[in-house]
Amino acid sequence: MNTSIEKALHKGLDDVEVPPRLEVQTIEKIREKSKITFFNFRLNRKYVSIAACVVVVIAFIGVQPYINNNNILPSENGLDQPSVQAPSSTNLDNTGQNSAVYHNIDISQIIRQPYEANVPASYFFQNWLQFVKKNPGVGSHWDNQQFNKDSIESVLHISIISPVLPKGDYTTTQSVLVDDATGEVMAFRTDYYYYNKDTLEFQNRFSVFYFLVDYFNTEELEQVQNVTKPNGQIHIDDFYPSTNVNAKVPHVRKLIYLENRVGIAIEAEADVVKTEDKVDEEKSRERYEETDKQLIGLMKSII
């Protein structure tokens, strides 16, 4: 038996109360076994090395599930400390928005609440665009069609950033504003209609407009511009809510940004909330306030 091994074994047994006779017999047995083991090891070092590698791999595979399943390890003071940062499981749709889920349904299927009072048509931005056209004698019309980011960039000669949409379920429509005289495209519009997917009830709408400023009255556009970017910092004028909000009227807000002869506008419309077929003014106001926040977030995500 190897002398160093024997010394180590004797040292290890010093702290254990073992009868002398049993200790001697044990050492003798180990000595006999070690001769065979050492002899086989010398003859088969190559195969033993391979076997050792296999054992290490199997051991790692066995331990790996425990490593992966213990991302939070207890510390000495009893507090939990993160050991591995797990990847987020956000639901991204095809436009890269967080928790916004697109559904390909026609907007005619979405249920709108009846109103006793109506918002004037000119209050909506799509109609207001036609109103400020330079030449009022020439008409224009919205033409429903599908287009992509490249189409807008080609016509307006700008780079388009896809908006970060609010979470929820939505469907879309797209259209262009066409000059009746020349057939030229003056504006692009994409509407995002949010609704309750279980009841198909309309909740709110966000419309993103890209338009060429040269087709419209510049002075009027500048007067209504409420988004600027001085020194690279985005500034949005405060919304001043009316002290007498009529919850029967849909909530409409607009943000308008002008830069390099191109305009960007985002319009938001929110529906009322009804409880037992009655308008719930408190919940409606909450929806309006949330829509305003989402509107600002949309504008900041594209400029």
Side-chain angles (χ1 to χ4, degrees), residues 27-293:
I27 293 175
E28 290 297 328
K29 291 291 183 181
I30 293 176
R31 183 177 298 168
E32 294 176 3
K33 292 290 184 180
S34 66
K35 293 179 181 179
I36 300 174
T37 304
F38 187 71
F39 176 75
N40 290 339
F41 173 74
R42 293 182 63 183
L43 292 179
N44 301 286
R45 285 183 300 176
K46 177 180 179 181
Y47 301 103
V48 171
S49 300
I50 296 174
C53 293
V54 173
V55 170
V56 171
V57 171
I58 294 175
F60 178 78
I61 295 175
V63 173
Q64 184 67 22
Y66 296 95
I67 296 176
N68 291 340
N69 290 334
N70 288 277
N71 291 333
I72 304 298
L73 301 179
S75 64
E76 295 180 359
N77 58 7
L79 299 178
D80 290 337
Q81 295 180 342
S83 61
V84 179
Q85 182 67 36
S88 60
S89 57
T90 53
N91 179 23
L92 301 179
D93 72 347
N94 57 351
T95 55
Q97 276 67 275
N98 181 21
S99 300
V101 182
Y102 170 73
H103 302 276
N104 186 20
I105 71 167
D106 192 277
I107 60 171
S108 62
Q109 300 179 39
I110 300 177
I111 302 172
R112 301 293 296 261
Q113 296 286 356
Y115 292 99
E116 297 180 10
N118 296 319
V119 175
S122 60
Y123 192 58
F124 289 95
F125 191 76
Q126 64 185 58
N127 301 96
W128 182 82
L129 268 177
Q130 298 181 47
F131 175 76
V132 298
K133 192 171 183 298
K134 272 186 167 183
N135 186 356
V138 179
S140 59
H141 67 279
W142 286 101
D143 183 15
N144 294 329
Q145 60 177 261
Q146 295 297 316
F147 49 84
N148 54 32
K149 183 172 68 72
D150 294 337
S151 302
I152 305 176
E153 291 181 337
S154 177
V155 172
L156 303 181
H157 304 290
I158 60 173
S159 297
I160 300 297
I161 300 176
S162 299
V164 178
L165 297 177
K167 65 180 181 179
D169 299 282
Y170 72 96
T171 189
T172 63
T173 61
Q174 291 182 314
S175 57
V176 293
L177 184 62
V178 181
D179 188 312
D180 291 338
T182 64
E184 295 178 338
V185 172
M186 299 182 292
F188 292 82
R189 182 180 95 232
T190 300
D191 300 307
Y192 302 91
Y193 289 86
Y194 280 78
Y195 64 97
N196 185 319
K197 68 176 181 179
D198 297 323
T199 63
L200 296 183
E201 180 184 356
F202 172 79
Q203 295 177 336
N204 49 25
R205 169 186 59 86
F206 299 95
S207 297
V208 180
F209 299 84
Y210 289 93
F211 57 96
L212 292 169
V213 176
D214 293 339
Y215 285 102
F216 307 97
N217 189 312
T218 304
E219 292 182 359
E220 291 191 37
L221 281 175
E222 291 176 348
Q223 289 178 4
V224 296
Q225 180 181 2
N226 51 11
V227 178
T228 55
K229 201 174 181 182
N231 301 322
Q233 299 294 322
I234 299 174
H235 172 76
I236 298 175
D237 291 349
D238 293 333
F239 291 140
Y240 298 101
S242 172
T243 56
N244 184 22
V245 177
N246 184 357
K248 297 177 182 178
V249 178
H251 178 73
V252 180
R253 295 284 200 187
K254 294 187 292 285
L255 291 178
I256 302 168
Y257 177 71
L258 308 175
E259 184 178 18
N260 298 329
R261 311 306 298 170
V262 175
I264 301 174
I266 302 180
E267 179 182 80
E269 174 194 4
D271 209 346
V272 296
V273 178
K274 284 193 172 183
T275 303
E276 297 180 354
D277 293 331
K278 293 182 180 180
V279 174
D280 190 322
E281 294 197 14
E282 182 178 354
K283 290 185 178 180
S284 296
R285 290 173 188 269
E286 291 177 357
R287 175 177 288 180
Y288 297 166
E289 292 174 358
E290 181 63 24
T291 300
D292 285 346
K293 293 178 182 178

Side-chain angles (χ1 to χ4, degrees), residues 4-16 23 27:
S4 60
I5 297 177
E6 188 172 350
K7 289 181 179 180
L9 182 59
H10 275 292
K11 183 178 181 180
L13 292 175
D14 286 344
D15 297 330
V16 182
E23 179 179 346
I27 293 175

